[in-house]
Amino acid sequence: MQRRGFMKAAVVGAGSVALTFTLGREALAYPAQTGASPYGGLQAADANGLMLPKGFTSRVVARTGQLVGNTKHVWHGAPDGGACFADGTGWIYVSNAELGKGAGGVSAVKFDGAGNITGSYPILSGTTDNCAGGASPWNTWISCEEHNKGLCWETDPWGVKPAVSHEAMGVFNHEAAAFDPDRKVVYLTEDEPDGGFYRYTPTAWGNLSEGKLEVLTTDLTWAAVKPKGQDCRKQVKNMHLFDGGEGAYYRNNICYFTTKGDDKVWAYNAATNQLATVYDNDTTANAPLTGVDNITGDPHVGDLFVAEDGGDMEICVITPNDVIAPFVKIVGQDDSEIAGVAFNPAGTRMYFSSQNGTTGTDDGGITYEVTGPFRRSL
C-alpha cells in the first residue's frame, strides 16, 4: 500500500498507527510525535557551539585543512557520511568527502580505548561527491558517490586493502547503503526527486562484485533492473518513487531510511513486507525535524538519531515510544548540514560532522565527538 493508505488503514485514534513490528524496540505507534526528550532539554551552547543535554560534553576531532590530532594527515573538505568500526579496545571512525571533480574520497581517524587519537589516514581518493554509505558486516565501509554515474566503493577502514568499486550495485545517484544480514541483501537509497529504494543481492555474501539489483514497486514487490546503462529509476514503470532518498540504517528486520524532499523517515519491514512512515514533518505538530538526512541508531535501547541538512542544524532522537525531540543543536552554522552520525562500538561516544562549519563552505568542515550518559535501558 502507499504510505498514506497504509497509515489510514491502521488508524487507532489521534492520527496514530498501530503496528506490531519486532524491532528490538517497544511496540510502536508510528508516526512519531513531538515530545519531551529522554535526555532532557538542551543547555546553552558550549565552547564548540553545541547545545547538548545536561551531562554531555563535546570536543572537535578534526577540522578541514588541518592536521588531525598529532598525526600527519590533513582532514578533508566537506565531511559527510561516516561510521565506526571496532579496533581492538579502540575504534576507527571513517568519513566521506563530498567534493566534486575527483577531489572526493574517504579518511579515517583511529582511537585507542580511552578515546585518544592514535592515527589518521586516507582510505579512498580520486572519487567524486562521496555522500553517505554503509558499514558491511565484514568490516568494510561502502562509500557511495552522489552523481549520475555514481558507484559504490568498498573501502578498508584500516587502509591496508585497496578500495574497489562495484558496478553491479548500480550506476546512479547513490546516497546510502544498509546491510541486512538476515536476508543477505543490501538496501540502497537514491538522491533524486523520483528516486528508488533498491535491494542488492550479492551472488555470494561477503563479496559485492556480482549480484542482482532490484527496485521496490508501488505494490511492494521487487523488480529487477539493469545496474548500468539506462537510468535504473526509468526501467520500471511502477517503481515506488521516493523524494530525495538519504540515509539508511538496518536493525532487526527493519530498514529505516529517510527522504529529504518531503521530510520523512520510513521503515521497510523486510520480514512482513510492509512500508510505514516513522516520521512525517507535514503531520507532526511543532515538528522539530526538517531537512531530514543521515540516520543511525544507538546500540542499546533502539533510539534512532536523525541529522538535519539545514533545518535548525539539529540531530533529533526518535525513541521506541515514538517521541521525537532535539538531541543536539549546532549554533552559528546555518549554511551547513550535519552528516556522518555514528556511535563507537560501546555506544558511549557519538561522532558527526558539520559539513561547512562556520564558513558555510567546503573548506570549513568540522568533525565532532559527543560523550555522555547515552541510554542503556528504557
Short mmCIF file of all heavy atoms in Angstrom, two decimals, residues 222-251:
data_model
loop_
_atom_site.label_atom_id
_atom_site.label_comp_id
_atom_site.label_asym_id
_atom_site.label_seq_id
_atom_site.Cartn_x
_atom_site.Cartn_y
_atom_site.Cartn_z
N TRP A 222 9.54 -6.59 -5.67
CA TRP A 222 10.86 -6.18 -6.12
C TRP A 222 11.03 -6.52 -7.60
O TRP A 222 10.84 -7.68 -7.99
CB TRP A 222 11.95 -6.87 -5.29
CG TRP A 222 11.95 -6.42 -3.86
CD1 TRP A 222 11.35 -7.02 -2.81
CD2 TRP A 222 12.60 -5.26 -3.34
NE1 TRP A 222 11.56 -6.32 -1.65
CE2 TRP A 222 12.33 -5.22 -1.94
CE3 TRP A 222 13.38 -4.24 -3.90
CZ2 TRP A 222 12.82 -4.21 -1.10
CZ3 TRP A 222 13.86 -3.23 -3.08
CH2 TRP A 222 13.58 -3.22 -1.70
N ALA A 223 11.36 -5.53 -8.41
CA ALA A 223 11.52 -5.71 -9.85
C ALA A 223 12.99 -5.57 -10.21
O ALA A 223 13.68 -4.65 -9.76
CB ALA A 223 10.70 -4.68 -10.62
N ALA A 224 13.48 -6.47 -11.05
CA ALA A 224 14.89 -6.45 -11.46
C ALA A 224 15.17 -5.26 -12.35
O ALA A 224 14.35 -4.86 -13.17
CB ALA A 224 15.22 -7.75 -12.19
N VAL A 225 16.35 -4.66 -12.17
CA VAL A 225 16.81 -3.58 -13.03
C VAL A 225 18.24 -3.85 -13.45
O VAL A 225 18.99 -4.55 -12.76
CB VAL A 225 16.74 -2.21 -12.32
CG1 VAL A 225 15.30 -1.81 -12.03
CG2 VAL A 225 17.56 -2.21 -11.04
N LYS A 226 18.61 -3.31 -14.61
CA LYS A 226 19.99 -3.39 -15.05
C LYS A 226 20.80 -2.37 -14.27
O LYS A 226 20.39 -1.22 -14.14
CB LYS A 226 20.08 -3.14 -16.55
CG LYS A 226 19.36 -4.17 -17.39
CD LYS A 226 19.45 -3.83 -18.88
CE LYS A 226 18.71 -4.86 -19.72
NZ LYS A 226 18.76 -4.54 -21.17
N PRO A 227 21.96 -2.76 -13.76
CA PRO A 227 22.71 -1.85 -12.89
C PRO A 227 23.33 -0.66 -13.59
O PRO A 227 23.65 0.34 -12.95
CB PRO A 227 23.79 -2.76 -12.30
CG PRO A 227 23.96 -3.85 -13.29
CD PRO A 227 22.60 -4.08 -13.88
N LYS A 228 23.52 -0.72 -14.90
CA LYS A 228 24.10 0.42 -15.61
C LYS A 228 23.45 0.57 -16.98
O LYS A 228 22.66 -0.26 -17.40
CB LYS A 228 25.61 0.25 -15.75
CG LYS A 228 26.06 -1.03 -16.43
CD LYS A 228 27.57 -1.12 -16.46
CE LYS A 228 28.04 -2.41 -17.11
NZ LYS A 228 29.52 -2.50 -17.15
N GLY A 229 23.80 1.64 -17.65
CA GLY A 229 23.14 1.94 -18.92
C GLY A 229 21.99 2.90 -18.67
O GLY A 229 22.16 3.98 -18.12
N GLN A 230 20.78 2.48 -19.05
CA GLN A 230 19.60 3.30 -18.83
C GLN A 230 19.42 3.54 -17.33
O GLN A 230 19.66 2.67 -16.52
CB GLN A 230 18.36 2.59 -19.38
CG GLN A 230 17.07 3.38 -19.20
CD GLN A 230 15.86 2.58 -19.65
OE1 GLN A 230 15.99 1.42 -20.04
NE2 GLN A 230 14.69 3.17 -19.60
N ASP A 231 18.98 4.76 -16.98
CA ASP A 231 18.78 5.08 -15.57
C ASP A 231 17.93 4.01 -14.90
O ASP A 231 16.86 3.63 -15.40
CB ASP A 231 18.08 6.44 -15.42
CG ASP A 231 19.01 7.59 -15.69
OD1 ASP A 231 20.23 7.35 -15.74
OD2 ASP A 231 18.53 8.71 -15.85
N CYS A 232 18.37 3.54 -13.75
CA CYS A 232 17.65 2.49 -13.02
C CYS A 232 16.21 2.91 -12.74
O CYS A 232 15.28 2.11 -12.87
CB CYS A 232 18.37 2.16 -11.73
SG CYS A 232 19.97 1.33 -11.96
N ARG A 233 16.02 4.17 -12.37
CA ARG A 233 14.69 4.60 -11.95
C ARG A 233 13.72 4.76 -13.13
O ARG A 233 12.54 5.02 -12.93
CB ARG A 233 14.78 5.90 -11.16
CG ARG A 233 15.18 7.12 -11.98
CD ARG A 233 15.31 8.35 -11.08
NE ARG A 233 15.51 9.56 -11.82
CZ ARG A 233 16.66 9.93 -12.33
NH1 ARG A 233 17.73 9.17 -12.18
NH2 ARG A 233 16.77 11.07 -12.99
N LYS A 234 14.22 4.59 -14.36
CA LYS A 234 13.36 4.70 -15.54
C LYS A 234 13.06 3.34 -16.16
O LYS A 234 12.37 3.26 -17.17
CB LYS A 234 14.02 5.62 -16.57
CG LYS A 234 14.17 7.06 -16.09
CD LYS A 234 14.84 7.93 -17.14
CE LYS A 234 15.01 9.36 -16.64
NZ LYS A 234 15.69 10.22 -17.64
N GLN A 235 13.55 2.28 -15.56
CA GLN A 235 13.37 0.95 -16.15
C GLN A 235 12.06 0.28 -15.73
O GLN A 235 11.57 -0.60 -16.44
CB GLN A 235 14.54 0.04 -15.77
CG GLN A 235 15.87 0.48 -16.35
CD GLN A 235 17.01 -0.43 -15.92
OE1 GLN A 235 16.81 -1.61 -15.67
NE2 GLN A 235 18.21 0.11 -15.84
N VAL A 236 11.51 0.68 -14.59
CA VAL A 236 10.31 0.03 -14.06
C VAL A 236 9.21 1.08 -13.92
O VAL A 236 9.34 2.03 -13.14
CB VAL A 236 10.60 -0.63 -12.70
CG1 VAL A 236 9.33 -1.23 -12.10
CG2 VAL A 236 11.68 -1.69 -12.85
N LYS A 237 8.12 0.91 -14.66
CA LYS A 237 7.07 1.92 -14.71
C LYS A 237 6.38 2.11 -13.36
O LYS A 237 5.97 3.22 -13.02
CB LYS A 237 6.04 1.55 -15.78
CG LYS A 237 6.58 1.67 -17.21
CD LYS A 237 5.49 1.38 -18.23
CE LYS A 237 6.03 1.55 -19.65
NZ LYS A 237 4.99 1.25 -20.67
N ASN A 238 6.21 1.04 -12.61
CA ASN A 238 5.50 1.17 -11.33
C ASN A 238 6.47 1.19 -10.15
O ASN A 238 6.14 0.75 -9.06
CB ASN A 238 4.49 0.04 -11.16
CG ASN A 238 5.14 -1.33 -11.02
OD1 ASN A 238 6.20 -1.56 -11.59
ND2 ASN A 238 4.49 -2.24 -10.30
N MET A 239 7.67 1.72 -10.40
CA MET A 239 8.63 1.87 -9.31
C MET A 239 8.05 2.79 -8.24
O MET A 239 7.43 3.80 -8.54
CB MET A 239 9.95 2.45 -9.84
CG MET A 239 11.05 2.53 -8.81
SD MET A 239 12.56 3.27 -9.47
CE MET A 239 12.22 5.02 -9.20
N HIS A 240 8.25 2.43 -6.99
CA HIS A 240 7.80 3.29 -5.87
C HIS A 240 8.74 4.48 -5.82
O HIS A 240 9.94 4.33 -5.61
CB HIS A 240 7.84 2.51 -4.56
CG HIS A 240 7.04 3.14 -3.47
ND1 HIS A 240 7.20 4.46 -3.08
CD2 HIS A 240 6.06 2.65 -2.67
CE1 HIS A 240 6.37 4.73 -2.10
NE2 HIS A 240 5.66 3.65 -1.83
N LEU A 241 8.21 5.68 -6.02
CA LEU A 241 9.03 6.89 -6.05
C LEU A 241 9.22 7.46 -4.65
O LEU A 241 8.26 7.59 -3.89
CB LEU A 241 8.39 7.94 -6.95
CG LEU A 241 8.13 7.51 -8.40
CD1 LEU A 241 7.53 8.67 -9.20
CD2 LEU A 241 9.41 7.02 -9.07
N PHE A 242 10.47 7.81 -4.35
CA PHE A 242 10.79 8.44 -3.08
C PHE A 242 11.50 9.76 -3.37
O PHE A 242 12.40 9.82 -4.21
CB PHE A 242 11.68 7.53 -2.24
CG PHE A 242 10.99 6.28 -1.77
CD1 PHE A 242 11.11 5.10 -2.49
CD2 PHE A 242 10.19 6.30 -0.63
CE1 PHE A 242 10.46 3.94 -2.06
CE2 PHE A 242 9.53 5.15 -0.21
CZ PHE A 242 9.67 3.97 -0.93
N ASP A 243 11.08 10.80 -2.65
CA ASP A 243 11.52 12.16 -2.94
C ASP A 243 12.84 12.49 -2.23
O ASP A 243 12.86 13.01 -1.13
CB ASP A 243 10.44 13.16 -2.51
CG ASP A 243 10.71 14.57 -3.00
OD1 ASP A 243 11.77 14.79 -3.62
OD2 ASP A 243 9.87 15.46 -2.78
N GLY A 244 13.93 12.15 -2.89
CA GLY A 244 15.24 12.50 -2.35
C GLY A 244 15.71 11.56 -1.28
O GLY A 244 15.84 11.94 -0.11
N GLY A 245 15.99 10.30 -1.64
CA GLY A 245 16.46 9.32 -0.67
C GLY A 245 17.77 9.74 -0.02
O GLY A 245 18.69 10.21 -0.69
N GLU A 246 17.86 9.56 1.28
CA GLU A 246 19.05 9.97 2.02
C GLU A 246 19.58 8.79 2.84
O GLU A 246 19.92 7.76 2.30
CB GLU A 246 18.72 11.17 2.91
CG GLU A 246 18.45 12.45 2.13
CD GLU A 246 19.70 13.05 1.51
OE1 GLU A 246 20.81 12.79 2.00
OE2 GLU A 246 19.56 13.79 0.52
N GLY A 247 19.69 8.93 4.16
CA GLY A 247 20.33 7.93 4.99
C GLY A 247 19.54 6.63 5.08
O GLY A 247 18.33 6.59 4.84
N ALA A 248 20.25 5.55 5.44
CA ALA A 248 19.62 4.25 5.63
C ALA A 248 20.30 3.54 6.80
O ALA A 248 21.51 3.64 6.97
CB ALA A 248 19.72 3.41 4.36
N TYR A 249 19.50 2.79 7.57
CA TYR A 249 20.00 2.10 8.75
C TYR A 249 19.16 0.86 8.97
O TYR A 249 17.92 0.93 9.02
CB TYR A 249 19.93 3.02 9.96
CG TYR A 249 20.22 2.35 11.28
CD1 TYR A 249 21.53 1.98 11.63
CD2 TYR A 249 19.20 2.08 12.18
CE1 TYR A 249 21.78 1.35 12.85
CE2 TYR A 249 19.46 1.47 13.40
CZ TYR A 249 20.74 1.10 13.73
OH TYR A 249 20.99 0.48 14.93
N TYR A 250 19.80 -0.29 9.12
CA TYR A 250 19.09 -1.56 9.30
C TYR A 250 19.28 -2.11 10.70
O TYR A 250 20.39 -2.09 11.25
CB TYR A 250 19.58 -2.60 8.30
CG TYR A 250 18.94 -3.96 8.51
CD1 TYR A 250 17.73 -4.28 7.92
CD2 TYR A 250 19.54 -4.92 9.33
CE1 TYR A 250 17.13 -5.51 8.13
CE2 TYR A 250 18.94 -6.15 9.56
CZ TYR A 250 17.73 -6.44 8.95
OH TYR A 250 17.14 -7.65 9.17
N ARG A 251 18.17 -2.63 11.26
CA ARG A 251 18.25 -3.36 12.52
C ARG A 251 17.00 -4.21 12.69
O ARG A 251 15.88 -3.74 12.47
CB ARG A 251 18.39 -2.41 13.71
CG ARG A 251 18.46 -3.14 15.06
CD ARG A 251 18.88 -2.24 16.20
NE ARG A 251 18.06 -1.07 16.32
CZ ARG A 251 18.42 0.02 17.00
NH1 ARG A 251 19.61 0.08 17.55
NH2 ARG A 251 17.61 1.05 17.08
#
